[in-house]
Amino acid sequence: TPSPPKDAHPMHANHPTGFTFSVPDDWEVSIDPTPEIAVLAIAPPNDSGFRRNITVTVCPLGEDWVDTHRWQQASVTGLAEALTDFHLIDAIVDVDAFRQLCTYTTLDHALSLEQWAWQWDRADAVQAVTLSATMTALETAMWADESAAIRDTWQEIDRGQS
């Protein structure tokens, strides 16, 4: 089993809406790969062929989501409808953010999904940001710190830097 890289996260994923975060330089980064996803960063495959990943979504903060508890519950409901064998393991809900840990399965893997969601107060609008880290369930302990470190690099940037 590979060990997490010890280097910094040198590659920046700059998005035109005005944010960036860093990932290891051997990851593939796609900006706006679908209308729903702002950034998708994918690690090289592990021994089983799975590629852990970071997905960032950004959308206007709807009225229903101003209440973070309702936003988190809506997220869980949506995930439960979309994912096979979905289970919410734990969630922490704050005034303007939440964090949750979930599991689900695909045909080939049992997966762990850790999400951080927060309100991004921009000058023109409040946005709902969700950063999701997906990895195999058995590798969660190995990669959770790296996922959190990637999340910690997220920052707002001047739109001219994107």
Side-chain angles (χ1 to χ4, degrees), residues 90-153:
D90 200 3
I92 299 170
V93 182
D94 203 346
V95 173
D96 60 359
F98 67 87
R99 177 181 176 195
Q100 58 191 12
L101 178 64
C102 317
T103 61
Y104 66 100
T105 61
T106 66
L107 292 176
D108 300 324
H109 298 95
L111 299 175
S112 176
L113 170 66
E114 186 164 12
Q115 290 187 315
W116 297 268
W118 62 93
Q119 295 178 18
W120 178 20
D121 293 322
R122 295 182 34 193
D124 57 346
V126 178
Q127 301 287 311
V129 177
T130 303
L131 187 145
S132 304
T134 304
M135 61 206 78
T136 61
L138 289 176
E139 294 179 328
T140 301
M142 181 188 320
W143 298 112
D145 287 345
E146 179 183 55
S147 298
I150 290 171
R151 184 245 11 246
D152 288 346
T153 68

Side-chain angles (χ1 to χ4, degrees), residues 72-85:
Q72 187 267 335
Q73 287 301 311
S75 170
V76 167
T77 299
L79 290 168
E81 291 171 356
L83 303 174
T84 304
D85 296 326

